[in-house]
Amino acid sequence: MTVERRFFVTTPIYYVNDLPHLGHAYTTVAADALARFMRLDGYRVKFLTGTDEHGQKVETSARAAGISPQEFADRISASFRAMAELLAISNDDFIRTTEPRHQRAVEALWKELERRGEIYLGRFSGWYSVRDEAFYGESELMDGKAPTGADVEWVEEENYFFRLSNWQDKLLAYYDANPEAIGPKSRRNEVVSFVKSGLNDLSISRTGFSWGIPVPGNPRHVMYVWLDALANYVSAIGYPDTHSPDFSTFWPADLHLVGKDILRFHAVYWPAFLMAAGLQPPRRVFAHGWWTVEGQKMSKSLGNFIPPRRLEATYGRDALRYFLLRELPFGSDGDFSHRAVVARLNGDLANDFGNLAQRALAMIHRNCSAEVPQPHGFSEEDEALLAAARGLLPALRPLMREQAFHLALETIWRVVAEANRYVDAMAPWALLQSDRKRMESVLYTLAEVIRRLAIIVQPFVPDAAGRLLDQLSVAPEARAFAALEESFLVAGTPLPKPQGVFPRFVAKKEAGTEGPC
Ligand code: MSP
């Protein structure tokens, strides 16, 4: 049984060795905007996030904190859940790799790979980075460190291996047959050349520590944390029961959103594991760029990790969500600065959209007895603005499908700008004395355009959009995208007193409070 209009989107599951920061918030907010967009567009959506709790890195951090790895994982996992709540994340599930449903699935996946002859026991000797939880070849090292700058250690131990080398041709055929399988395009090319250059078998177990899922039949080994972690995407939908309603509806995933640093795991190892276990690879993996903070790489030693809680407290969650998705092309790197956030917040949100709505709704409240005004025919200018607003949804769909969030927002804000030009040109305040009917038509046009804008910005700024729709008396059931086709504001509908939905950011005077950076 497959449902046609369904959409399964995931974030990476976050390591519990660190508290949530801006980078985690980024992937999660992007996935949320997409999940909300697809839901509003009538899709049955599954949006999954969670925490990655096993591995040497977590074991070491727990030891340093003087508590058990499970207790440590419980604590940090809870802070990732709290981050999701704080940012209005609409995930349908939150998976933890220490849950029984996950362990059961990973064991089944291992056994299936073993049954199909994809796993063998061998001897590993090579470089391992605990920070990256990744193996590196001698030729990849730079000045004795991993290409990511992380320290590496020499590991020589008995390991289980996955026959990755067998999957080179099949992976290339999969990329070939699915041009959308990896985005953005530049990253796709990198992955393809990496696979073309030849694949070694992959070590998938470790023996030096114990915080992991034991290898079935040989509990001296724990599974490599990436095999364990990647499997979350299927364990959360019921694997190994591939006939379960969730699995049959939602697999293969429509989109794994990841940062560029973990693309290889998702676009090479994961599809190979899946194909080797007789499952379909994901439809698409998209790798976003990295944020620096005020020009510097975020790092513990520099002490410039920005907790999402602080950002939310300073700017509010709508502004933060908007900034993250508007400021950068989603695949590119960029810089997070207080100045840039305030410019977006006060410019795009408060001045452009906020003022438009506040001006129009306040005029209606004052001059149209607080009701949706009655239009008396539409002029060419009215029609042009209404048509621009009507054109938004069809323009946005392909952009969201490509994860071009910044272009989607730019497209919406072009209509905001057009509406602002329209207000200035029509000058409804001047019509109050000279042509009341015309004023009513102009204000109706504006209210209807604002309704459309508010519906369409819901995925990005859900709180403000909701408040705006309340102020237009739009019923909760008339807020899905279908309402863009089917309904219009009805003249005579009473409207509550309008209130600004995008307040300006005003820096506080005391030192250290003018921003989180
Ligand atoms: N646990 C693995 C993922 C397993 S998925 C099966 C992991 N976790 S992580 O917590 O280290 O990173 C999660 C995500 O945060 C990655 O997608 C990473 O790219 C992202 N970011 C971490 N720092 C970042 C920035 N400075 N900027 C943008 N995103 C960054 O990797």
Side-chain angles (χ1 to χ4, degrees):
M1 178 193 66
T2 42
V3 174
E4 263 313 295
R5 285 169 67 81
R6 56 77 161 172
F7 191 76
F8 181 21
V9 58
T10 67
T11 72
I13 51 171
Y14 302 112
Y15 282 130
V16 292
N17 64 306
D18 255 338
L19 285 165
H21 61 67
L22 174 69
H24 307 121
Y26 188 42
T27 330
T28 306
V29 162
D32 183 64
L34 196 49
R36 285 175 181 267
F37 186 93
M38 298 308 277
R39 268 188 221 114
L40 287 165
D41 210 11
Y43 284 73
R44 188 169 156 206
V45 171
K46 166 94 55 197
F47 168 19
L48 177 67
T49 187
T51 41
D52 185 355
E53 306 189 1
H54 291 130
Q56 203 169 343
K57 192 153 66 164
V58 174
E59 193 180 82
T60 312
S61 303
R63 192 170 304 132
I67 52 177
S68 73
Q70 186 63 60
E71 215 179 318
F72 188 78
D74 289 348
R75 247 186 228 176
I76 312 260
S77 179
S79 60
F80 277 97
R81 260 182 215 269
M83 172 184 86
E85 264 166 48
L86 192 75
L87 300 177
I89 303 304
S90 64
N91 53 300
D92 301 289
D93 198 351
F94 186 102
I95 186 140
R96 301 182 53 186
T97 55
T98 50
E99 286 177 74
R101 61 170 172 162
H102 177 73
Q103 306 218 8
R104 185 176 136 248
V106 178
E107 278 162 21
L109 179 64
W110 181 285
K111 286 187 190 151
E112 185 60 19
L113 291 171
E114 204 163 39
R115 194 181 69 77
R116 290 169 176 256
E118 299 288 348
I119 291 180
Y120 64 92
L121 190 60
R123 245 202 111 64
F124 177 82
S125 55
W127 297 101
Y128 190 76
S129 154
V130 176
R131 193 183 88 186
D132 300 348
E133 298 283 16
F135 300 97
Y136 291 104
E138 185 76 46
S139 60
E140 286 178 285
L141 299 190
M142 281 146 64
D143 300 328
K145 293 200 182 245
T148 56
D151 288 334
V152 289
E153 61 190 49
W154 183 255
V155 173
E156 257 187 72
E157 56 185 33
E158 183 190 68
N159 275 181
Y160 285 93
F161 286 82
F162 169 69
R163 295 187 195 282
L164 184 62
S165 56
N166 276 355
W167 291 90
Q168 180 175 4
D169 292 345
K170 287 176 198 99
L171 281 168
L172 291 171
Y174 151 67
Y175 305 142
D176 226 34
N178 300 280
E180 304 305 318
I182 303 169
K185 287 238 154 46
S186 55
R187 299 268 168 227
R188 175 193 159 87
N189 298 340
E190 280 172 27
V191 169
V192 171
S193 29
F194 170 74
V195 173
K196 277 195 176 145
S197 73
L199 295 174
N200 296 323
D201 288 348
L202 183 70
S203 164
I204 51 165
S205 76
R206 302 290 315 277
T207 53
F209 65 99
S210 59
W211 182 237
I213 301 181
V215 165
N218 191 353
R220 232 170 40 78
H221 290 250
V222 295
M223 289 186 207
Y224 176 38
V225 65
W226 270 101
L227 173 61
D228 169 352
L230 287 162
N232 90 86
Y233 302 130
V234 290
S235 60
I237 53 168
Y239 185 82
D241 183 0
T242 52
H243 297 291
S244 69
D246 256 13
F247 194 94
S248 49
T249 304
F250 290 111
W251 195 257
D254 292 275
L255 179 67
H256 296 313
L257 278 184
V258 301
K260 62 179 183 176
D261 53 319
I262 56 172
L263 178 60
R264 186 178 294 181
F265 299 96
H266 283 82
V268 181
Y269 302 162
W270 180 227
F273 293 153
L274 286 164
M275 290 192 280
L279 298 171
Q280 286 188 61
R283 296 211 166 111
R284 182 166 167 86
V285 179
F286 188 96
H288 65 69
W290 269 50
W291 288 96
T292 48
V293 172
E294 306 279 348
Q296 286 182 308
K297 191 172 154 51
M298 266 196 287
S299 82
K300 274 208 184 123
S301 48
L302 289 173
N304 63 352
F305 268 98
I306 310 187
R309 187 169 295 286
R310 203 149 95 224
L311 293 174
E312 192 272 343
T314 312
Y315 304 115
R317 65 186 175 197
D318 278 340
L320 174 62
R321 291 171 60 107
Y322 178 82
F323 174 80
L324 290 176
L325 298 179
R326 174 65 186 84
E327 189 68 4
L328 298 182
F330 194 51
S332 313
D333 296 340
D335 191 46
F336 187 96
S337 71
H338 176 64
R339 219 160 42 97
V341 185
V342 172
R344 288 278 174 207
L345 205 168
N346 287 346
D348 302 8
L349 296 182
N351 280 354
D352 298 347
F353 197 3
N355 276 351
L356 170 72
Q358 182 62 16
R359 263 163 109 191
L361 294 178
M363 266 187 278
I364 291 174
H365 198 80
R366 254 195 328 270
N367 305 316
C368 308
S369 34
E371 287 178 358
V372 173
Q374 176 69 50
H376 310 274
F378 295 109
S379 73
E380 217 174 283
E381 291 90 341
D382 307 342
E383 296 283 8
L385 183 62
L386 287 165
R390 265 199 306 272
L392 276 177
L393 181 60
L396 253 51
R397 283 190 180 118
L399 295 174
M400 295 300 280
R401 280 276 179 194
E402 290 168 21
Q403 293 76 54
F405 303 111
H406 70 299
L407 292 181
L409 287 168
E410 198 179 294
T411 306
I412 300 172
W413 257 255
R414 269 206 294 275
V415 176
V416 170
E418 208 172 316
N420 274 317
R421 282 194 297 274
Y422 171 90
V423 185
D424 292 342
M426 297 299 124
W429 50 90
L431 295 168
L432 183 61
Q433 303 306 330
S434 60
D435 189 348
R436 194 178 167 86
K437 285 194 166 167
R438 179 65 198 136
M439 177 196 76
E440 286 172 353
S441 299
V442 168
L443 290 179
Y444 178 88
T445 302
L446 278 171
E448 172 59 13
V449 167
I450 292 166
R451 177 188 75 101
R452 287 175 176 275
L453 288 167
I455 287 179
I456 221 144
V457 293
Q458 290 177 99
F460 307 97
V461 286
D463 292 347
R467 287 201 302 275
L468 206 46
L469 290 166
D470 291 343
Q471 294 182 29
L472 287 163
S473 298
V474 173
E477 62 279 8
R479 297 180 181 193
F481 292 162
L484 296 170
E485 309 285 333
E486 293 158 5
S487 63
F488 295 91
L489 281 176
V490 176
T493 308
L495 300 176
K497 191 170 164 37
Q499 273 173 349
V501 297
F502 291 117
R504 281 183 71 78
F505 178 85
V506 185
K508 300 210 177 64
K509 284 276 165 344
E510 313 90 80
T513 55
E514 73 251 344
C517 314

